[in-house]
Amino acid sequence: MRRSGSRALGTPQQGRAAALAAVAVALAGCQVAAGAAGRSSASATGAGRSTATASARPVASSPVPGQSSGGSPRIMIVGDSITEGSSGDYTWQYRLYEHLRADGVSPRMVGPHHWLYNNVAKAEGDHSYADPRFGHANDASWGMTLAREKDAIGATVAAYRPDYLLVLLGLDDIFWFGISQPDMAANLAGFIAAARAARPHIRIVLGLIPPDIHQLTNPAFAARIASYNHSISSTAAQLSTAGSPVAVARDGTGISVAADLWDGTHPNANGEIKIAAAFADALAGRFHLGSAYPRPLPVLPTGPLIHPRLKVTPSATAGRAKLSWTPAPGAESYYVYLKDVTGGEAKFRQLPWPLHPAQNPWTVSLLTSGDTYLFELRACKGADCGAFSNVVSITAP
């Protein structure tokens, strides 16, 4: 879901639930353009001072009788911001691509888009993937709706000729535009018909709408999502044919709003794994493409992965110093940590309020003149805090 405006996050000590609640307020208050073309989509952890950056590439699964291996299927993923991802993400497409490659499949990812949404600058066209070395072409964009895409999918399928269509759409239709359940079901059926008209033997996997913060806080909205997810399953069963089968990915299974979504809606690294695993399971179980995703699923580090590069310079005013840093992709806030070495502080302490990227550079005050201080910075994306900067030192003027 698209967000606008600024927000103040709580400190890591206030807990992840409070941080997600603050993000949810910002989400609910933002404005979107009217009509079906509207653009939206859709831990702050105090422990640990190092951030692992490994992507946890999957290993090959054990062969399963009757399952194919190898091949170069053309796959197009269709989705909104949950699929497109934003600055610094791997994306669940990356996780699925890597899994298929480990299984001996050579997927050719196709589609008109190949970028992330810049969640800091609020603009499309960002290429700061956590790992860009994968097939990242798709038909996913921040704010895509099923109502809009049902009228466009035929031309897109005709242009890119996918063998498999993986679809995760509908949240924006319900959340922002209040589209009724009968219309949602009709739009889904129209989407499938349009894709088949362009490519009669296309194979389709429909993803369910995963849990998010609004389903936890709004029972009526949760009921509408549950109803639409039932429609997805029933539509798949009714419209699946031998020539163009339709499967369902249970991508909401196991997703924790608090642990797997960086802002209550969009997946972090662990949410990406769970969505990708569900689509991999559907491809393996229904179409014998690759194997089911290996279990147990890995638990990965979250938050921005790129370490900010911090610099400190003295101020002309006594008791002050200026901090400046290189941005971490996707980081929406930064926490400052400092330690007065001369004053005998043994541990870094966190300043209570985060800095917005626009506050770079930032002047820290109330320092004791003549004391030597150490500073470091931690980058956060939504409620997920990740990479620390280098440590810098200065003697306060």
Side-chain angles (χ1 to χ4, degrees):
M1 292 186 178
R2 192 171 184 175
R3 301 167 308 288
S4 65
S6 61
R7 62 177 178 271
L9 296 177
T11 65
Q13 288 75 15
Q14 289 176 306
R16 187 176 177 85
L20 285 173
V23 175
V25 171
L27 281 167
C30 70
Q31 300 296 316
V32 294
R39 301 190 54 77
S40 68
S41 152
S43 89
T45 58
R49 304 196 60 77
S50 64
T51 302
T53 59
S55 61
R57 295 174 184 270
V59 296
S61 304
S62 300
V64 176
Q67 285 191 317
S68 61
S69 61
S72 300
R74 297 173 68 86
I75 299 174
M76 187 162 74
I77 298 179
V78 185
D80 51 33
S81 58
I82 292 173
T83 297
E84 179 185 6
S86 54
S87 300
D89 285 353
Y90 282 100
T91 73
W92 71 261
Q93 178 169 330
Y94 170 90
R95 310 292 180 180
L96 177 64
Y97 178 88
E98 289 293 304
H99 166 74
L100 292 173
R101 294 276 295 178
D103 267 352
V105 181
S106 299
R108 290 176 289 173
M109 311 305 292
V110 299
H113 306 309
H114 53 89
W115 51 70
L116 299 163
Y117 179 75
N118 188 320
N119 58 297
V120 178
K122 312 300 182 191
E124 293 282 3
D126 187 89
H127 291 89
S128 62
Y129 289 98
D131 183 354
R133 296 167 296 179
F134 76 107
H136 41 75
N138 56 44
D139 185 24
S141 64
W142 206 275
M144 182 178 285
T145 60
L146 177 63
R148 182 184 73 188
E149 192 62 8
K150 70 176 175 58
D151 296 325
I153 192 62
T156 308
V157 167
Y160 293 94
R161 300 177 294 107
D163 302 309
Y164 295 86
L165 201 61
L166 278 51
V167 186
L168 184 52
L169 277 177
L171 176 60
D172 286 344
D173 300 72
I174 297 172
F175 185 83
W176 293 112
F177 303 110
I179 296 178
S180 69
Q181 291 303 312
D183 285 345
M184 290 294 295
N187 289 343
L188 183 59
F191 176 96
I192 293 171
R196 285 174 169 169
R199 199 158 174 82
H201 298 294
I202 196 165
R203 297 178 172 192
I204 301 171
V205 181
L206 301 176
L208 303 178
I209 305 301
D212 71 4
I213 189 69
H214 303 290
Q215 295 175 50
L216 296 184
T217 58
N218 185 335
F221 177 68
R224 296 179 67 196
I225 292 295
S227 178
Y228 178 57
N229 280 340
H230 177 75
S231 291
I232 291 174
S233 296
S234 60
T235 297
Q238 293 167 9
L239 298 185
S240 185
T241 66
S244 176
V246 183
V248 175
R250 307 290 173 179
D251 49 279
T253 303
I255 285 187
S256 164
V257 171
D260 299 328
L261 309 176
W262 63 264
D263 64 352
T265 298
H266 301 97
N268 60 21
N270 294 306
E272 292 169 356
I273 287 282
K274 291 177 180 178
I275 294 173
F279 277 92
D281 291 351
L283 288 171
R286 186 65 180 273
F287 303 121
H288 307 297
L289 181 66
S291 300
Y293 207 96
R295 265 61 171 193
L297 299 178
V299 178
L300 303 179
T302 59
L305 300 177
I306 301 300
H307 301 269
R309 188 68 186 172
L310 183 62
K311 179 181 179 181
V312 61
T313 54
S315 171
T317 303
R320 295 187 177 186
K322 184 173 72 174
L323 301 176
S324 59
W325 60 92
T326 58
E332 299 179 328
S333 62
Y334 298 85
Y335 283 97
V336 176
Y337 294 77
L338 77 161
K339 178 167 61 174
D340 185 348
V341 178
T342 305
E345 290 185 329
K347 298 180 179 180
F348 280 92
R349 52 189 169 91
Q350 177 196 284
L351 296 186
W353 302 109
L355 300 178
H356 187 272
Q359 292 176 277
N360 181 11
W362 182 73
T363 298
V364 58
S365 57
L366 300 178
L367 304 177
T368 301
S369 296
D371 280 11
T372 297
Y373 288 85
L374 299 181
F375 291 92
E376 65 179 352
L377 206 64
R378 194 178 194 189
C380 301
K381 182 175 185 178
D384 288 338
C385 290
F388 279 91
S389 73
N390 56 303
V391 176
V392 295
S393 173
I394 193 172
T395 298

